[in-house]
Amino acid sequence: MFQSFESLTDPSQGRERVAKLRRLMEETGMDGFLVPRADEHQGEYVPPRAERLQWLTGFTGSAGIALILRDSALIFVDGRYTLQVRKQADPQTFTFESLVDSPPPVWIEQNLERGTRLGFDPWLHTVAGVRSLRQAVEQRGASLVAVDNLVDLIWEDQPEPPLGRTAIQPEAFAGELAKNKLPRLGARVRDIGIDATVLTDPSSVAWAFNIRGSDVLHTPLALSFAILPAEGLPQLFIDERKLDIETKAYLTQLCDLRSPTDLESALAQLSKNAVIGLDFGLAAEKLRLIVEDNGGRVVPLADPARLPRATKNAAELEGSRAAHRRDGAAIVNFLHWVEQQQGGKVDEITTVEKLEGFRRTAGDEAQMPLRDISFDTISGSGPNGAIMHYRVTRKTNRVLEQNELYLVDSGAQYQDGTTDITRTTIIGTPTAEMIRHYTIVLKGLIAISLLRFPAGTRGCDIDAVARLNHWKAGLDFAHGTGHGVGSYLAVHEGPQRIAKTGTEKLLAGMILSNEPGYYKPGSYGIRLENLIVVEAAADVDGGDIPMHSFETLTLCPFERRLIDPSLLTPDEQSWLDTYHAWVQRELASLVSGDAAKWLEEKTQPLEG
């Protein structure tokens, strides 16, 4: 199994560990210390060694930060984790705050005591993040102090840095050779008149060098940094123990291979009287300090690989389509199997294991094996489905009861594409309320799917489209409508997203998720998710501006028993019938037996 069901946390340990941290704070003259969920690359995907927030608090979510003071301890999380954090962290030790409504700079500006010395690890905070923190701290008459990581000093069994194998991503899947990508990135550095930039995001390094790794769970990243100079060869800072002979020979033709321990000295040497570009939203504050402490000047520069990586080329898009056909067949087999189960007969862990088995079979048959899942499967029955990023463990596992909703959000990593799909189904008979809420969520997904929008539109401009029917009904959901998705890379990829904070323009070739939801705490959750790709829209007679639209990639029927046709408009029903007919055509030859009959029934035109 790619997924573990062991509990990763023990809330009872939080009090003792916070006490240890406070004793060390006192010894080092700190009145507070910040513990983000981050590593030196500032990414969402971190190795076990960097799970400091989880170790200290018990909270296992993918975003959050703890602020430990002498007499209080706070955990800041966003709306996805408001229920989860209360289950995983000790409420007697921690206070829970909103990462959106009252993030640390806001809370600090309103509450921090004058004279407080607040410590932070400059490797674990971005340049922009530290600027915001420093402004808030100093406004309170306090000070922000860069220190060695205090959690590392008390975490006795902290794991070692990962040494996962690194491999070459072939041109057939990458669509372009690295020897052509790297000079283009270097030209970008040269054209804006700076001496070099640092690639800090391992996804950008993976894309630029056409490599994939295995240093973090479910995401094929090789944790590494790269320096891209205006002139000359790039430098790649990666532990050579991760490289076999072939991969090392390949990389030595593209760059100077350096040890990760050489990064600070190499950047310091390069910085003398030089101008270095850093992405202030991605690069660690430590990198800025190195440059400026060695006579260099730092200027803001967006990661030059980020947009090229996000706008998929023809080979990457065709790979994604192929991956979604195989994945769709696996999901159809799985949902057919779920529907055969009676309430109380199977549990959340059994369903996860069964789904992974179907994915392995689909990949093997196509000679494109399942490399990994793209994240821990969210398998939530009844009230567990209302926990947006629920992760089933042997302690939380529950059976799928009769007349309950079951939410499954899952994805796969194939070498030709990354998938992410959510479906919600019913064991037994749904209530009228369940049907109404499911149909409202489906209307949100269809609204995005049908959307045409001017070129240059941003994700924040269309996020409300998915919520209009929710709002009419007095409902909403506390997560974005969509995130970017990589090409055999991170299932959550920036900078593109459909959300209130999605300020990046949606460009042709960008893959995103389309996933509205509704969550009734203590009862059930509903989320429906397809992956979509931005494409140039067909011209309309009389139109005078370029338009974009979305192509749907995901292939899987929606649950007919949960749809109220009377709530759908003619355009919505037409889209749904057309989508289901397409699913049937694409998947009919990939499933057989009773599953094929199930697919045919589920994809029939909806009766109004």
Side-chain angles (χ1 to χ4, degrees), residues 138-265:
E138 292 179 352
Q139 187 160 330
R140 295 292 295 184
S143 56
L144 188 65
V145 184
V147 297
D148 291 335
N149 198 289
L150 302 186
V151 171
D152 292 356
L153 298 178
I154 60 173
W155 188 355
E156 295 178 356
D157 57 349
Q158 185 178 22
E160 293 296 320
L163 292 172
R165 177 179 174 271
T166 299
I168 303 165
Q169 178 74 337
E171 184 186 7
F173 302 124
E176 184 181 11
L177 294 173
K179 69 178 183 180
N180 297 327
K181 294 179 181 180
L182 290 167
R184 194 164 67 249
L185 296 178
R188 166 67 175 159
V189 172
R190 184 169 60 252
D191 291 347
I192 62 175
I194 63 175
D195 296 292
T197 189
V198 184
L199 290 185
T200 63
D201 183 344
S203 287
S204 290
V205 175
W207 178 86
F209 289 87
N210 283 352
I211 55 174
R212 299 295 188 267
S214 50
D215 282 338
V216 296
L217 280 176
H218 312 322
T219 306
L221 299 178
L223 296 182
S224 52
F225 291 91
I227 294 179
L228 299 180
E231 303 290 346
L233 282 177
Q235 297 180 67
L236 177 61
F237 299 85
I238 187 170
D239 194 317
E240 291 191 19
R241 288 176 292 177
K242 299 177 185 180
L243 311 177
D244 60 21
I245 295 175
E246 179 187 7
T247 306
K248 183 176 180 180
Y250 162 81
L251 288 172
T252 53
Q253 298 176 55
L254 298 171
C255 62
D256 288 332
L257 279 178
R258 305 285 299 274
S259 167
T261 58
D262 293 338
L263 175 62
E264 292 191 34
S265 60

Side-chain angles (χ1 to χ4, degrees), residues 76-88:
F76 298 81
V77 300
D78 62 37
R80 297 171 296 172
Y81 297 116
T82 53
L83 295 179
Q84 180 176 329
V85 71
R86 286 165 170 79
K87 290 178 177 289
Q88 293 184 324

Side-chain angles (χ1 to χ4, degrees), residues 22-41:
R22 285 181 172 139
R23 288 194 290 271
L24 185 57
M25 285 162 45
E26 185 172 0
E27 292 173 9
T28 55
M30 294 296 114
D31 302 300
F33 188 68
L34 288 159
V35 184
R37 202 270 183 179
D39 67 358
E40 295 83 352
H41 302 277

